[in-house]
Amino acid sequence: EVQLVESGGGLVQPGGSLRLSCAASGFTFSDQYMDWVRQAPGKGLEWVGLTRNKANSYTTEYAASVKGRFTISRDDSKNSLYLQMNSLKTEDTAVYYCGRVGYYVISGYYGATHYYYMDVWGKGTTVTVSS
Amino acid sequence: DIQMTQSPSSLSASVGDRVTITCRASQSISNYLNWYQQKPGNAPNLLIYAASTLQSGVPSRFSGSGSGTDFTLTISSLQPEDFATYYCQQSYSVPRTFGQGTKVEIK
C-alpha cells in the first residue's frame, strides 16, 4: 500500500524550531519529487516547497513565506522526507502535509511536457506556534 | 507568482444538481492545472490533472476543462459524498499556488 506518514508536529514558541518527518512506503521513494503543503486553521491550502529527486540533484524550491527559514531535505536510504522549520512565527501554525509528486509526460515534436500533481498525501501533522 | 482565483467561494446545491466551479489564473498556464477535493478533517485528494485528465479511481461525474487562464471543474450529478471543498492548483511554475477553495454545501 502506498503510504505517507508525517510526524514531529507539536507546540513551539515563536522563534523556535521544529523538524517534521514524512515516512514513505509502498513506492520507490528515491524516484519521486516530494512536496510539503500546509493548511492554517480554517484556511485554504498553501504550497510550502518541494524537493526533486537525485536525478535532478535534489534541488529544492520554497514559497516566499518560508524561504530562508524552512529547509526541505530527504534521506532516500530511509525513505524519508524532512522539513526543518526555524524562526517560527505564529502564522506558521497549520497542519503540514507531505505529498508525493506524480507526473504525466507527453512526448511531442518539440520535446517532452511534464505535468506535476500531488497524487498521494499523508494525513498531516499539526504545528502550533504560540507563547 | 501566479495567483489563482476560484469562484464562487461557496455554493449550495442539491443531490443530483450539476455543479460548476471556476478557477482563473493571473497569467496563462496552458493546461498545467490540477483539481483536489478535501473533506473536513481529511487530506486533499487528487481529482484531475493536466486540466482535464481524470485521476484513476475518480468517478466519471467529475470533469475538467479549460486552457490558458480559465478553467472549470464540473460535477455532472452531485452525490452526497461530493459535499466538500475543492481547490485548483497550477503546476506551470513554482511556487505551485492553490486557489482559495470552493466549499460545496447541501441546500
Side-chain angles (χ1 to χ4, degrees):
Chain A
E1 179 191 6
V2 174
Q3 194 172 12
L4 296 171
V5 179
E6 301 93 337
S7 61
L11 174 64
V12 61
Q13 292 188 337
S17 298
L18 208 58
R19 188 197 198 203
L20 306 184
S21 300
C22 171
S25 59
F27 63 97
T28 305
F29 178 76
S30 58
D31 287 348
Q32 304 291 145
Y33 292 14
M34 298 292 294
D35 274 9
W36 285 99
V37 169
R38 68 184 181 183
Q39 186 169 36
K43 302 297 185 182
L45 301 172
E46 180 186 14
W47 182 83
V48 172
L50 69 84
T51 174
R52 298 181 177 90
N53 55 16
K54 182 178 181 180
N56 289 277
S57 304
Y58 297 127
T59 51
T60 54
E61 308 281 356
Y62 298 94
S65 58
V66 306
K67 196 169 187 177
R69 300 188 300 123
F70 289 13
T71 302
I72 297 173
S73 62
R74 61 193 293 165
D75 185 339
D76 289 350
S77 69
K78 295 182 178 179
N79 290 337
S80 292
L81 174 72
Y82 305 102
L83 180 65
Q84 177 66 45
M85 304 185 293
N86 298 331
S87 303
L88 282 161
K89 306 175 181 180
T90 55
E91 52 263 42
D92 295 319
T93 294
V95 175
Y96 284 75
Y97 298 101
C98 66
R100 184 179 78 173
V101 179
Y103 60 91
Y104 169 58
V105 182
I106 295 179
S107 298
Y109 181 82
Y110 296 104
T113 299
H114 291 74
Y115 296 92
Y116 296 104
Y117 43 84
M118 291 178 70
D119 63 348
V120 179
W121 295 66
K123 295 184 184 302
T125 187
T126 300
V127 173
T128 303
V129 185
S130 175
S131 54
Chain B
D1 297 359
I2 298 173
Q3 308 303 316
M4 306 299 293
T5 303
Q6 291 181 229
S7 61
S9 296
S10 65
L11 64 90
S12 296
S14 300
V15 172
D17 283 354
R18 182 181 181 90
V19 169
T20 298
I21 298 169
T22 296
C23 178
R24 175 165 289 176
S26 59
Q27 66 181 74
S28 178
I29 58 170
S30 183
N31 62 336
Y32 291 86
L33 194 283
N34 306 321
W35 288 99
Y36 300 89
Q37 175 194 66
Q38 186 180 34
K39 298 179 181 179
N42 289 344
N45 182 52
L46 176 68
L47 296 176
I48 286 169
Y49 59 91
S52 61
T53 302
L54 205 63
Q55 170 69 345
S56 175
V58 174
S60 59
R61 62 181 179 273
F62 291 92
S63 63
S65 64
S67 185
T69 60
D70 293 321
F71 302 88
T72 297
L73 173 69
T74 299
I75 310 172
S76 60
S77 178
L78 198 66
Q79 297 302 300
E81 60 268 30
D82 300 337
F83 292 96
T85 301
Y86 294 85
Y87 294 92
C88 62
Q89 181 202 28
Q90 62 84 15
S91 61
Y92 180 82
S93 66
V94 291
R96 293 188 179 145
T97 41
F98 289 91
Q100 81 280 15
T102 295
K103 187 174 184 179
V104 176
E105 299 176 300
I106 302 172
K107 181 183 282 185

